[in-house]
Amino acid sequence: MGLGGVGHLGVKIAKAMGHHVTVISSSNKERKEAMEDLNADVFLVSTDEDEMRKAANSLDYILDTVPVFHPLQSYLSLLKTQGKFILVGAPQQPLEIQAGVMIAGNKTVTGSFIGSMKDVQELLDFWAGKGMTTMIEVVKMSYVNKAFERMEKNDVRYRFVLDVAGSNLE
């Protein structure tokens, strides 16, 4: 869930591990990117009630990278029995869930910030071993204010990297 800086990494890693990947987004605007550039297997629009109903009980887990408040109930229905909903986005507002869906489906909601140094090294080794790259946009220091404006408008694919060495800092 969420196809930004963290979400696109999740898709790339899951695909490299051989998983069947479903990207969930609130609109259709990222469908082409998800399917063609990131090789997702399925693209699901969360605002399309028919699509969501057809996808019910179809996912083993959901990696939620969305950093703003969003209702979880419709997403939890996508999980199979014993499915896991993993939060890595950090909305400031409290999230709400209905206990009945969780209990009846023996589902779990959990969160993760970052793994141990060993976990991170293992991921970096996996990443390098697969020859994977991130999708970034390199910008000079003179562009940093514009980059922040674009981030606020969600106009970044997928990360900005600040080129300090190549910038005129005088």
Side-chain angles (χ1 to χ4, degrees):
M1 252 176 71
L3 194 58
V6 175
H8 98 281
L9 296 176
V11 173
K12 290 184 91 155
I13 292 166
K15 287 301 294 181
M17 295 174 105
H19 293 288
H20 182 271
V21 176
T22 299
V23 170
I24 305 168
S25 183
S26 59
S27 75
N28 231 344
K29 70 180 183 174
E30 296 171 325
R31 181 182 298 272
K32 185 176 180 200
E33 270 179 287
M35 302 300 285
E36 295 177 14
D37 298 340
L38 297 172
N39 299 314
D41 299 291
V42 176
F43 187 87
L44 183 60
V45 178
S46 62
T47 54
D48 185 322
E49 291 179 19
D50 190 48
E51 274 189 41
M52 293 291 281
R53 190 172 33 261
K54 289 177 184 173
N57 302 307
S58 67
L59 304 177
D60 295 308
Y61 65 90
I62 295 173
L63 179 67
D64 181 353
T65 67
V66 179
V68 296
F69 176 81
H70 51 288
L72 299 184
Q73 205 58 39
S74 61
Y75 302 107
L76 294 172
S77 68
L78 299 174
L79 293 171
K80 294 177 181 176
T81 299
Q82 297 184 337
K84 293 186 181 195
F85 193 90
I86 306 159
L87 294 163
V88 295
Q92 295 299 309
Q93 300 87 349
L95 297 174
E96 299 174 5
I97 60 171
Q98 291 178 352
V101 172
M102 302 300 295
I103 294 166
N106 195 22
K107 298 174 184 181
T108 304
V109 175
T110 187
S112 179
F113 180 63
I114 191 167
S116 67
M117 291 295 285
K118 181 181 176 217
D119 293 335
V120 172
Q121 188 61 57
E122 183 180 315
L123 179 60
L124 291 173
D125 292 344
F126 174 79
W127 194 268
K130 296 284 187 177
M132 297 168 65
T133 60
T134 60
M135 298 168 80
I136 61 169
E137 185 176 337
V138 179
V139 298
K140 303 276 189 224
M141 193 66 150
S142 60
Y143 191 79
V144 74
N145 289 334
K146 181 70 172 170
F148 273 106
E149 290 172 13
R150 287 183 52 204
M151 283 185 347
E152 289 173 349
K153 296 177 186 171
N154 199 25
D155 180 28
V156 184
R157 285 292 175 250
Y158 285 94
R159 292 269 189 205
F160 281 126
V161 173
L162 187 57
D163 178 8
V164 176
S167 297
N168 182 2
L169 301 176
E170 295 180 34

Short mmCIF file of all heavy atoms in Angstrom, two decimals, residues 19-24 41-45 49-63 73-84 101 105 107:
data_model
loop_
_atom_site.label_atom_id
_atom_site.label_comp_id
_atom_site.label_asym_id
_atom_site.label_seq_id
_atom_site.Cartn_x
_atom_site.Cartn_y
_atom_site.Cartn_z
N HIS A 19 7.98 -13.14 -4.92
CA HIS A 19 6.60 -13.03 -4.46
C HIS A 19 5.66 -12.53 -5.56
O HIS A 19 6.07 -11.82 -6.47
CB HIS A 19 6.49 -12.08 -3.27
CG HIS A 19 7.15 -12.58 -2.04
ND1 HIS A 19 6.65 -13.61 -1.30
CD2 HIS A 19 8.30 -12.20 -1.42
CE1 HIS A 19 7.44 -13.85 -0.27
NE2 HIS A 19 8.46 -13.01 -0.33
N HIS A 20 4.40 -12.89 -5.44
CA HIS A 20 3.32 -12.34 -6.26
C HIS A 20 2.94 -11.04 -5.58
O HIS A 20 2.57 -11.04 -4.41
CB HIS A 20 2.15 -13.34 -6.27
CG HIS A 20 1.01 -12.89 -7.13
ND1 HIS A 20 -0.01 -12.11 -6.66
CD2 HIS A 20 0.74 -13.12 -8.43
CE1 HIS A 20 -0.87 -11.88 -7.63
NE2 HIS A 20 -0.43 -12.48 -8.72
N VAL A 21 3.04 -9.91 -6.29
CA VAL A 21 2.89 -8.60 -5.66
C VAL A 21 1.66 -7.87 -6.18
O VAL A 21 1.46 -7.73 -7.38
CB VAL A 21 4.15 -7.73 -5.91
CG1 VAL A 21 3.96 -6.32 -5.35
CG2 VAL A 21 5.37 -8.39 -5.30
N THR A 22 0.85 -7.40 -5.23
CA THR A 22 -0.30 -6.56 -5.52
C THR A 22 0.00 -5.16 -5.00
O THR A 22 0.33 -5.00 -3.82
CB THR A 22 -1.57 -7.09 -4.82
OG1 THR A 22 -1.85 -8.39 -5.31
CG2 THR A 22 -2.76 -6.18 -5.06
N VAL A 23 -0.09 -4.16 -5.86
CA VAL A 23 0.06 -2.77 -5.43
C VAL A 23 -1.34 -2.22 -5.19
O VAL A 23 -2.23 -2.37 -6.03
CB VAL A 23 0.81 -1.93 -6.49
CG1 VAL A 23 0.75 -0.44 -6.14
CG2 VAL A 23 2.25 -2.39 -6.61
N ILE A 24 -1.53 -1.58 -4.05
CA ILE A 24 -2.81 -0.98 -3.70
C ILE A 24 -2.63 0.53 -3.68
O ILE A 24 -1.76 1.04 -2.98
CB ILE A 24 -3.31 -1.46 -2.32
CG1 ILE A 24 -3.38 -2.99 -2.28
CG2 ILE A 24 -4.67 -0.83 -2.00
CD1 ILE A 24 -3.58 -3.55 -0.89
N ASP A 41 2.28 -7.65 -10.12
CA ASP A 41 1.41 -8.64 -10.75
C ASP A 41 -0.04 -8.17 -10.84
O ASP A 41 -0.76 -8.52 -11.77
CB ASP A 41 1.48 -9.96 -9.97
CG ASP A 41 2.88 -10.51 -9.95
OD1 ASP A 41 3.36 -10.95 -11.01
OD2 ASP A 41 3.53 -10.48 -8.88
N VAL A 42 -0.45 -7.39 -9.83
CA VAL A 42 -1.83 -6.90 -9.76
C VAL A 42 -1.79 -5.47 -9.27
O VAL A 42 -0.96 -5.10 -8.44
CB VAL A 42 -2.67 -7.76 -8.78
CG1 VAL A 42 -4.08 -7.22 -8.61
CG2 VAL A 42 -2.70 -9.22 -9.20
N PHE A 43 -2.72 -4.66 -9.78
CA PHE A 43 -2.88 -3.28 -9.30
C PHE A 43 -4.32 -3.14 -8.84
O PHE A 43 -5.25 -3.42 -9.60
CB PHE A 43 -2.58 -2.28 -10.42
CG PHE A 43 -2.57 -0.86 -9.94
CD1 PHE A 43 -1.41 -0.29 -9.43
CD2 PHE A 43 -3.72 -0.08 -10.00
CE1 PHE A 43 -1.40 1.03 -8.98
CE2 PHE A 43 -3.72 1.23 -9.56
CZ PHE A 43 -2.55 1.79 -9.05
N LEU A 44 -4.49 -2.72 -7.62
CA LEU A 44 -5.81 -2.64 -7.01
C LEU A 44 -6.09 -1.20 -6.60
O LEU A 44 -5.30 -0.59 -5.88
CB LEU A 44 -5.86 -3.56 -5.79
CG LEU A 44 -7.13 -3.71 -5.01
CD1 LEU A 44 -8.26 -4.25 -5.88
CD2 LEU A 44 -6.90 -4.67 -3.84
N VAL A 45 -7.22 -0.65 -7.07
CA VAL A 45 -7.62 0.71 -6.70
C VAL A 45 -8.54 0.61 -5.48
O VAL A 45 -9.64 0.06 -5.56
CB VAL A 45 -8.33 1.42 -7.87
CG1 VAL A 45 -8.78 2.83 -7.45
CG2 VAL A 45 -7.41 1.50 -9.08
N GLU A 49 -14.95 -0.04 -5.13
CA GLU A 49 -15.57 -1.02 -4.23
C GLU A 49 -15.67 -2.41 -4.86
O GLU A 49 -15.50 -3.42 -4.17
CB GLU A 49 -16.95 -0.53 -3.79
CG GLU A 49 -16.89 0.67 -2.87
CD GLU A 49 -18.27 1.16 -2.46
OE1 GLU A 49 -19.25 0.39 -2.57
OE2 GLU A 49 -18.35 2.32 -2.02
N ASP A 50 -15.95 -2.48 -6.15
CA ASP A 50 -16.06 -3.76 -6.83
C ASP A 50 -14.71 -4.49 -6.85
O ASP A 50 -14.64 -5.68 -6.55
CB ASP A 50 -16.58 -3.57 -8.26
CG ASP A 50 -16.94 -4.88 -8.93
OD1 ASP A 50 -17.65 -5.70 -8.28
OD2 ASP A 50 -16.51 -5.09 -10.07
N GLU A 51 -13.64 -3.77 -7.18
CA GLU A 51 -12.30 -4.37 -7.16
C GLU A 51 -11.94 -4.87 -5.77
O GLU A 51 -11.39 -5.96 -5.60
CB GLU A 51 -11.23 -3.35 -7.59
CG GLU A 51 -11.01 -3.24 -9.06
CD GLU A 51 -9.79 -2.38 -9.40
OE1 GLU A 51 -8.74 -2.48 -8.71
OE2 GLU A 51 -9.89 -1.60 -10.36
N MET A 52 -12.23 -4.05 -4.76
CA MET A 52 -11.90 -4.42 -3.38
C MET A 52 -12.70 -5.65 -2.94
O MET A 52 -12.16 -6.54 -2.28
CB MET A 52 -12.17 -3.24 -2.44
CG MET A 52 -11.24 -2.07 -2.66
SD MET A 52 -9.54 -2.40 -2.16
CE MET A 52 -9.68 -2.20 -0.38
N ARG A 53 -13.96 -5.72 -3.32
CA ARG A 53 -14.80 -6.86 -2.96
C ARG A 53 -14.26 -8.14 -3.60
O ARG A 53 -14.16 -9.18 -2.97
CB ARG A 53 -16.25 -6.60 -3.38
CG ARG A 53 -17.26 -7.59 -2.87
CD ARG A 53 -18.71 -7.22 -3.13
NE ARG A 53 -18.99 -6.48 -4.35
CZ ARG A 53 -19.16 -5.14 -4.42
NH1 ARG A 53 -19.07 -4.40 -3.35
NH2 ARG A 53 -19.41 -4.55 -5.57
N LYS A 54 -13.86 -8.06 -4.88
CA LYS A 54 -13.32 -9.22 -5.59
C LYS A 54 -11.98 -9.68 -5.00
O LYS A 54 -11.65 -10.86 -5.07
CB LYS A 54 -13.14 -8.91 -7.07
CG LYS A 54 -14.44 -8.79 -7.83
CD LYS A 54 -14.19 -8.40 -9.27
CE LYS A 54 -15.50 -8.18 -10.02
NZ LYS A 54 -15.28 -7.64 -11.37
N ALA A 55 -11.24 -8.75 -4.42
CA ALA A 55 -9.92 -9.09 -3.87
C ALA A 55 -9.97 -9.51 -2.40
O ALA A 55 -8.94 -9.84 -1.81
CB ALA A 55 -8.98 -7.90 -4.03
N ALA A 56 -11.16 -9.53 -1.81
CA ALA A 56 -11.29 -9.90 -0.39
C ALA A 56 -10.67 -11.27 -0.12
O ALA A 56 -10.75 -12.18 -0.95
CB ALA A 56 -12.76 -9.90 0.01
N ASN A 57 -10.02 -11.38 1.02
CA ASN A 57 -9.40 -12.63 1.48
C ASN A 57 -8.37 -13.19 0.49
O ASN A 57 -8.21 -14.40 0.39
CB ASN A 57 -10.47 -13.69 1.76
CG ASN A 57 -11.46 -13.24 2.79
OD1 ASN A 57 -11.08 -12.82 3.88
ND2 ASN A 57 -12.73 -13.26 2.44
N SER A 58 -7.64 -12.31 -0.21
CA SER A 58 -6.71 -12.79 -1.22
C SER A 58 -5.23 -12.55 -0.89
O SER A 58 -4.36 -13.09 -1.56
CB SER A 58 -7.02 -12.14 -2.57
OG SER A 58 -6.75 -10.74 -2.52
N LEU A 59 -4.95 -11.77 0.13
CA LEU A 59 -3.56 -11.41 0.40
C LEU A 59 -3.05 -12.03 1.70
O LEU A 59 -3.76 -12.09 2.69
CB LEU A 59 -3.41 -9.89 0.48
CG LEU A 59 -3.88 -9.10 -0.75
CD1 LEU A 59 -3.76 -7.60 -0.50
CD2 LEU A 59 -3.11 -9.51 -1.99
N ASP A 60 -1.80 -12.46 1.67
CA ASP A 60 -1.17 -13.02 2.87
C ASP A 60 -0.74 -11.92 3.83
O ASP A 60 -0.79 -12.08 5.04
CB ASP A 60 0.06 -13.86 2.49
CG ASP A 60 -0.31 -15.08 1.68
OD1 ASP A 60 -1.19 -15.83 2.14
OD2 ASP A 60 0.27 -15.28 0.60
N TYR A 61 -0.25 -10.84 3.27
CA TYR A 61 0.11 -9.69 4.09
C TYR A 61 0.02 -8.41 3.28
O TYR A 61 -0.01 -8.43 2.05
CB TYR A 61 1.51 -9.84 4.72
CG TYR A 61 2.65 -9.85 3.72
CD1 TYR A 61 3.28 -8.68 3.33
CD2 TYR A 61 3.11 -11.05 3.18
CE1 TYR A 61 4.32 -8.69 2.42
CE2 TYR A 61 4.15 -11.07 2.27
CZ TYR A 61 4.76 -9.88 1.90
OH TYR A 61 5.78 -9.90 1.00
N ILE A 62 -0.05 -7.30 4.00
CA ILE A 62 -0.05 -5.97 3.38
C ILE A 62 1.02 -5.16 4.07
O ILE A 62 1.06 -5.07 5.30
CB ILE A 62 -1.42 -5.27 3.53
CG1 ILE A 62 -2.50 -6.03 2.78
CG2 ILE A 62 -1.34 -3.82 3.04
CD1 ILE A 62 -3.92 -5.51 3.02
N LEU A 63 1.91 -4.56 3.28
CA LEU A 63 2.91 -3.64 3.78
C LEU A 63 2.36 -2.24 3.53
O LEU A 63 2.27 -1.79 2.40
CB LEU A 63 4.24 -3.85 3.04
CG LEU A 63 5.39 -2.93 3.45
CD1 LEU A 63 5.82 -3.25 4.89
CD2 LEU A 63 6.56 -3.10 2.50
N GLN A 73 -10.10 -0.43 7.70
CA GLN A 73 -11.07 -1.52 7.63
C GLN A 73 -11.17 -2.18 6.26
O GLN A 73 -11.16 -3.41 6.15
CB GLN A 73 -12.45 -1.03 8.08
CG GLN A 73 -13.33 -2.12 8.60
CD GLN A 73 -12.69 -2.86 9.78
OE1 GLN A 73 -12.04 -2.27 10.64
NE2 GLN A 73 -12.87 -4.15 9.79
N SER A 74 -11.26 -1.40 5.21
CA SER A 74 -11.42 -2.01 3.88
C SER A 74 -10.17 -2.78 3.47
O SER A 74 -10.25 -3.76 2.72
CB SER A 74 -11.76 -0.95 2.84
OG SER A 74 -10.74 0.01 2.74
N TYR A 75 -9.01 -2.38 3.95
CA TYR A 75 -7.78 -3.09 3.62
C TYR A 75 -7.67 -4.40 4.39
O TYR A 75 -7.19 -5.40 3.86
CB TYR A 75 -6.56 -2.21 3.89
CG TYR A 75 -6.60 -0.90 3.14
CD1 TYR A 75 -6.86 0.29 3.80
CD2 TYR A 75 -6.42 -0.87 1.77
CE1 TYR A 75 -6.91 1.49 3.11
CE2 TYR A 75 -6.48 0.32 1.06
CZ TYR A 75 -6.72 1.49 1.75
OH TYR A 75 -6.78 2.67 1.06
N LEU A 76 -8.10 -4.38 5.63
CA LEU A 76 -8.03 -5.60 6.44
C LEU A 76 -8.87 -6.72 5.84
O LEU A 76 -8.53 -7.89 5.98
CB LEU A 76 -8.47 -5.30 7.88
CG LEU A 76 -7.55 -4.36 8.65
CD1 LEU A 76 -8.18 -3.98 9.98
CD2 LEU A 76 -6.18 -4.96 8.84
N SER A 77 -9.93 -6.37 5.13
CA SER A 77 -10.77 -7.41 4.51
C SER A 77 -10.05 -8.10 3.35
O SER A 77 -10.47 -9.16 2.91
CB SER A 77 -12.09 -6.80 4.01
OG SER A 77 -11.84 -5.92 2.93
N LEU A 78 -8.97 -7.52 2.86
CA LEU A 78 -8.20 -8.13 1.78
C LEU A 78 -7.34 -9.29 2.28
O LEU A 78 -6.92 -10.14 1.49
CB LEU A 78 -7.30 -7.09 1.11
CG LEU A 78 -7.99 -5.90 0.46
CD1 LEU A 78 -6.95 -4.89 -0.02
CD2 LEU A 78 -8.88 -6.34 -0.68
N LEU A 79 -7.08 -9.30 3.58
CA LEU A 79 -6.20 -10.33 4.14
C LEU A 79 -6.88 -11.68 4.28
O LEU A 79 -8.04 -11.77 4.67
CB LEU A 79 -5.69 -9.90 5.52
CG LEU A 79 -4.75 -8.70 5.55
CD1 LEU A 79 -4.52 -8.28 7.00
CD2 LEU A 79 -3.43 -9.04 4.87
N LYS A 80 -6.12 -12.73 3.99
CA LYS A 80 -6.58 -14.09 4.23
C LYS A 80 -6.60 -14.34 5.74
O LYS A 80 -6.08 -13.54 6.52
CB LYS A 80 -5.61 -15.10 3.60
CG LYS A 80 -5.54 -15.07 2.09
CD LYS A 80 -4.49 -16.07 1.63
CE LYS A 80 -4.34 -16.07 0.12
NZ LYS A 80 -3.25 -16.97 -0.32
N THR A 81 -7.14 -15.47 6.15
CA THR A 81 -7.06 -15.88 7.55
C THR A 81 -5.59 -15.94 7.94
O THR A 81 -4.76 -16.42 7.18
CB THR A 81 -7.71 -17.26 7.74
OG1 THR A 81 -9.09 -17.15 7.36
CG2 THR A 81 -7.62 -17.73 9.17
N GLN A 82 -5.27 -15.43 9.10
CA GLN A 82 -3.92 -15.31 9.65
C GLN A 82 -3.04 -14.34 8.85
O GLN A 82 -1.81 -14.38 8.95
CB GLN A 82 -3.24 -16.69 9.76
CG GLN A 82 -3.94 -17.60 10.72
CD GLN A 82 -3.23 -18.93 10.93
OE1 GLN A 82 -2.45 -19.37 10.09
NE2 GLN A 82 -3.50 -19.54 12.06
N GLY A 83 -3.67 -13.45 8.09
CA GLY A 83 -2.92 -12.45 7.34
C GLY A 83 -2.32 -11.40 8.26
O GLY A 83 -2.77 -11.20 9.39
N LYS A 84 -1.29 -10.74 7.77
CA LYS A 84 -0.59 -9.72 8.56
C LYS A 84 -0.65 -8.38 7.86
O LYS A 84 -0.40 -8.27 6.66
CB LYS A 84 0.87 -10.11 8.77
CG LYS A 84 1.02 -11.33 9.63
CD LYS A 84 2.46 -11.61 9.94
CE LYS A 84 2.50 -12.88 10.78
NZ LYS A 84 3.74 -13.09 11.42
N VAL A 101 -13.23 -8.17 12.82
CA VAL A 101 -12.55 -8.61 11.60
C VAL A 101 -11.22 -9.25 11.96
O VAL A 101 -10.82 -10.27 11.39
CB VAL A 101 -12.32 -7.41 10.63
CG1 VAL A 101 -11.45 -7.80 9.46
CG2 VAL A 101 -13.65 -6.88 10.15
N GLY A 105 -10.76 -13.46 11.70
CA GLY A 105 -9.79 -13.91 10.70
C GLY A 105 -8.42 -14.23 11.27
O GLY A 105 -7.50 -14.52 10.52
N LYS A 107 -6.23 -12.30 12.34
CA LYS A 107 -5.32 -11.41 11.63
C LYS A 107 -4.47 -10.62 12.62
O LYS A 107 -4.85 -10.44 13.77
CB LYS A 107 -6.12 -10.46 10.73
CG LYS A 107 -6.90 -11.22 9.67
CD LYS A 107 -7.81 -10.34 8.86
CE LYS A 107 -8.62 -11.21 7.89
NZ LYS A 107 -9.51 -10.42 7.05
#
